């Protein structure tokens, strides 16, 4: 990788962290939803002249993706927990009701699995938070220790990865 790419990667990571921090501050103030907070953070940083609008919009997309994955995981866990401890479900007892619930759950889990798999695809050049990226081609694992720009696979040089946390 050339020095220019290294500098661009560091700049992208720095912008990612600034947008994330400012978005969190805006959300904590309770005044905005995620999209509004991201837009405001991007506007502030590009308006200050630190970064171009294009850079801020691109990096905001990465922050939105990662935040949405975290939100989706939390909501899924909450729904699964509610389903397990729902008194009506526990007392239902009838096999036909149980079979219908299992079928519905199976369909919903398959839908979630498909959406989750799509949301866990990451590409070279994107910025991501810590986690493990597994090359979709050769299964080589990249262990990302801090927010960074994703390089090509060191083994096969492909550019598509699956992330695990």
């Amino acid at each position: 990788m050339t020095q220019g790419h290294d500098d661009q990667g560091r700049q992208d990571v720095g912008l990612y962290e600034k947008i994330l921090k400012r978005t969190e501050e805006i959300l904590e103030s309770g005044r905005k939803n995620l999209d509004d907070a991201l837009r405001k953070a991007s506007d502030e940083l590009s308006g200050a002249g630190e970064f171009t609008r294009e850079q801020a919009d691109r990096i905001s997309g990465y922050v939105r993706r990662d935040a949405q994955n975290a939100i989706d995981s939390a909501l899924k866990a909450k729904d699964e927990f509610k389903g397990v401890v729902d008194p009506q479900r526990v007392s239902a007892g009838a096999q036909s009701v149980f079979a219908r619930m299992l079928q519905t759950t199976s369909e919903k889990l398959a839908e979630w699995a498909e959406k989750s798999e799509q949301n866990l695809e990451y590409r070279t050049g994107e910025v991501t938070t810590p986690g493990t990226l597994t090359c979709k081609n050769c299964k080589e694992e990249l262990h990302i220790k801090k927010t960074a720009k994703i390089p090509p696979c060191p083994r096969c040089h492909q550019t598509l990865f699956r992330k695990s946390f």
Side-chain angles (χ1 to χ4, degrees):
M1 197 181 299
T2 67
Q3 182 63 32
H5 287 339
D6 287 345
D7 291 343
Q8 182 63 48
R10 282 191 289 277
Q11 188 179 35
D12 285 352
V13 169
L15 178 55
Y16 180 101
E17 291 172 342
K18 286 180 180 184
I19 289 175
L20 180 62
K21 182 176 188 282
R22 184 63 185 128
T23 300
E24 288 172 345
E25 292 168 358
I26 293 167
L27 287 171
E28 286 173 1
S29 73
R31 296 178 299 186
K32 305 278 183 187
N33 64 32
L34 176 61
D35 287 332
D36 291 341
L38 269 170
R39 192 171 18 264
K40 182 172 173 54
S42 293
D43 289 347
E44 288 175 4
L45 290 169
S46 64
E50 278 189 76
F51 303 96
T52 67
R53 165 55 54 197
E54 181 182 278
Q55 286 174 304
D57 289 345
R58 181 171 47 85
I59 301 300
S60 289
Y62 301 151
V63 173
R64 178 179 289 106
R65 173 202 61 202
D66 293 343
Q68 193 60 54
N69 284 341
I71 291 167
D72 290 347
S73 293
L75 290 173
K76 186 166 78 170
K78 175 186 165 197
D79 289 343
E80 289 171 357
F81 180 76
K82 281 174 52 179
V84 169
V85 297
D86 183 6
Q88 291 177 350
R89 183 173 176 206
V90 173
S91 64
Q95 286 187 359
S96 63
V97 172
F98 187 63
R100 277 192 305 236
M101 287 188 319
L102 287 175
Q103 181 63 38
T104 301
T105 301
S106 172
E107 291 166 1
K108 190 50 114 176
L109 286 173
E111 180 183 320
W112 284 345
E114 184 178 332
K115 284 182 181 178
S116 293
E117 190 61 36
Q118 290 171 352
N119 286 333
L120 293 174
E121 281 191 354
Y122 289 67
R123 297 186 183 283
T124 295
E126 294 179 348
V127 175
T128 188
T129 54
T132 299
L133 296 171
T134 304
C135 178
K136 298 273 272 199
N137 183 55
C138 72
K139 308 302 182 219
E140 176 76 8
E141 289 186 351
L142 298 176
H143 299 282
I144 307 296
K145 304 280 187 224
K146 61 182 182 177
T147 302
K149 195 167 189 176
I150 302 170
C153 176
R155 182 186 294 166
C156 71
H157 307 290
Q158 292 295 310
T159 61
L160 186 61
F161 300 88
R162 183 184 189 283
K163 185 168 186 181
S164 56
F165 296 90

